[in-house]
Each structure stands twice: as structure tokens, then as C-alpha cells.
Amino acid sequence: MEAILHALSDPVRAQIFAGVASADCAQICSAFADVSDRPVPKSTLSQHFKVLREAGLVRSERHGVEVRNTARLGELRERFGPLIEAIMQAHAKQQCETRAKAG
Amino acid sequence: MEAILHALSDPVRAQIFAGVASADCAQICSAFADVSDRPVPKSTLSQHFKVLREAGLVRSERHGVEVRNTARLGELRERFGPLIEAIMQAHAKQQCETRAKAG
DNA sequence: TCGATAGTTCAGAAATTGTGAACTAATGGA
DNA sequence: TCCATTAGTTCACAATTTCTGAACTATCGA
């Protein structure tokens, strides 16, 4: 819980989780090198995924040379009710507003 | 938003906010020196309240020698919908479970 | 004005986070 | 089999953030 809020309080990780959660298939780590305005180095990306994994937000499975990530939405809803949905909804709303301002 | 998750991802601050939010009257800062297992120094307490204020979670007003804090529940619901409620509910549930285990 | 109480500020210590470099793991040729 | 390539992890140190004791400000009451 504490770990979840901490994980999602970082804007890059929040973006990564949003991307994984909204995708209809598993996402590889390196797909998120450009979530931020400046490119995220792969060592940093690896750490971010580690934080997300340890918070129980995503599951990672190696398939050949790549690691595929999926959001653990079911388990999260079971344990925390509407918490994750509420956070992601607020996150999405905020993204909208940010984009609207940026033009 | 990011600031809110960050503020509440610290267990001491989460406890403080829960205390302020659930109280039926404004709470002074020093009322929370014992939220943790070890006493929280007043400089640390002051910083925690600063973080909560800057995240927009609480409002602080000086009354004589003390500072009274209230949760900005109305504004928060307006801006973020059920987010804060969801976090506080998950927090409360977790507190219950922790206490149950501790005996 | 003095003493007490409540909180803030500051500076250095302690802890956490970010990142390049070196490494591991798996794959696909030659 | 061996080499090159791709994807990610680990490590060590730099950079940043957080914690906290000491000194300070603010307010009140005597």
C-alpha cells in the first residue's frame, strides 16, 4: 500500500504503469524509454520496473531476450478495492489537462 | 496529484493526515508526536505538515501560540473525485489488519 | 519584560535515487 | 561452436532528498 503510493508518486513510473495497465498485451521494458521529456536510461528503467514489481503493481516474465510486463489489475482490485482505478483515473484526467494546456 | 501520492506514501504523514481528516475539530501539529513507534521530533513534524500543506491536503491556521490543521476534504473531492476517500479507506483497512496481527 | 509553549528554519548527517559502465541471458546466424 | 546482437540487470558512485538537533521566531500570560 505504502509501496504502491510511493511507486506511483514518481511521474515516470506512473506513466509506465498507465501504459502497461492500458495496453491490451504485455509490454516490454524498453518500450518506455520515451515516457519522459528526456530519454530514460535503461538502468533507470530497470530500477523503475523493479519498484513496480516489488509494489505488486506489475508482473514480469522473460520471453526469449525480452521481459514482458503486465499490470496485476485483478489482484490489486481484490486487495485494495477501487484504489488503483481511482489513482489511474485521476492520472488520466491530469494527463488530459496537461495536454490541453500544452496545446 | 503527484504531490498527494508522495505525501501519503510516507507512513507517518499518512497517519497524520488520517488523524486530521477523521477528527471532528482542527488538530494542532504537536498532537502527532506519537503517531510512530518512535517519537517524531518537532522539526520533522513541522516538515511533514509543510509537505501535507504544499500537496493541498491540509490547511493550517495559527490561533495564538498554536497552529490548527484541517483536512481540505471538500476541495480534494472536487478536484480528484473519490481518490482521497479510496486512499484513506485502503489505509484504514490496512491499519485494522496490522492491529489484528499485532494482537 | 520575562518565561513558557508551539512551531519554523537551517545546516550537516543519513538515506534514497539516478545513471554510466560492466555484466548476464537469450537468440540467430556463419 | 563461436560471435554478434538485443534486452535487461547489477554495481558503484554521484546527485538528490529527507531527517533532525540547535538556534530562532511568534504569541501569550503573569
Side-chain angles (χ1 to χ4, degrees):
Chain A
M1 159 74 179
E2 182 186 324
I4 286 177
L5 296 186
H6 172 247
L8 297 179
S9 72
D10 179 282
V12 172
R13 279 194 301 263
Q15 282 283 98
I16 292 173
F17 180 69
V20 173
S22 66
D24 52 357
C25 66
Q27 296 295 298
I28 68 173
C29 301
S30 55
F32 298 93
D34 302 317
V35 282
S36 181
D37 49 349
R38 55 193 74 235
V40 184
K42 64 180 184 168
S43 57
T44 304
L45 215 45
S46 179
Q47 296 295 341
H48 282 326
F49 270 100
K50 190 178 180 187
V51 171
L52 291 171
R53 261 194 312 274
E54 291 180 347
L57 286 163
V58 306
R59 162 175 295 123
S60 303
E61 285 175 287
R62 188 175 262 274
H63 278 253
V65 75
E66 59 196 26
V67 172
R68 299 190 189 158
N69 302 279
T70 46
R72 304 175 65 170
L73 296 174
E75 291 111 308
L76 289 164
R77 193 177 304 114
E78 253 185 53
R79 252 186 270 279
F80 301 104
L83 177 63
I84 306 299
E85 271 89 348
I87 294 176
M88 295 320 293
Q89 219 169 307
H91 179 79
K93 187 181 166 191
Q94 191 180 242
Q95 287 295 108
C96 271
E97 285 163 10
T98 307
R99 272 191 231 106
K101 271 182 197 167
Chain B
M1 159 74 178
E2 182 187 325
I4 286 177
L5 296 185
H6 173 247
L8 296 179
S9 72
D10 179 280
V12 172
R13 279 194 301 262
Q15 281 283 101
I16 291 173
F17 181 69
V20 172
S22 65
D24 52 357
C25 67
Q27 296 294 298
I28 67 173
C29 300
S30 55
F32 298 94
D34 302 317
V35 281
S36 182
D37 50 349
R38 55 192 76 237
V40 185
K42 65 179 184 169
S43 56
T44 304
L45 215 45
S46 179
Q47 296 295 341
H48 282 327
F49 271 101
K50 191 178 180 187
V51 172
L52 291 172
R53 259 194 315 272
E54 290 179 348
L57 286 163
V58 306
R59 163 174 296 122
S60 303
E61 286 174 288
R62 188 176 263 274
H63 278 253
V65 76
E66 60 197 25
V67 171
R68 299 190 189 158
N69 302 277
T70 46
R72 304 176 63 169
L73 296 173
E75 289 111 310
L76 290 165
R77 192 176 305 115
E78 252 185 54
R79 252 186 271 276
F80 301 105
L83 177 64
I84 306 299
E85 271 88 348
I87 295 177
M88 295 321 291
Q89 219 168 307
H91 179 79
K93 188 181 166 192
Q94 192 180 242
Q95 288 294 109
C96 271
E97 286 163 10
T98 307
R99 272 191 230 106
K101 272 183 197 168

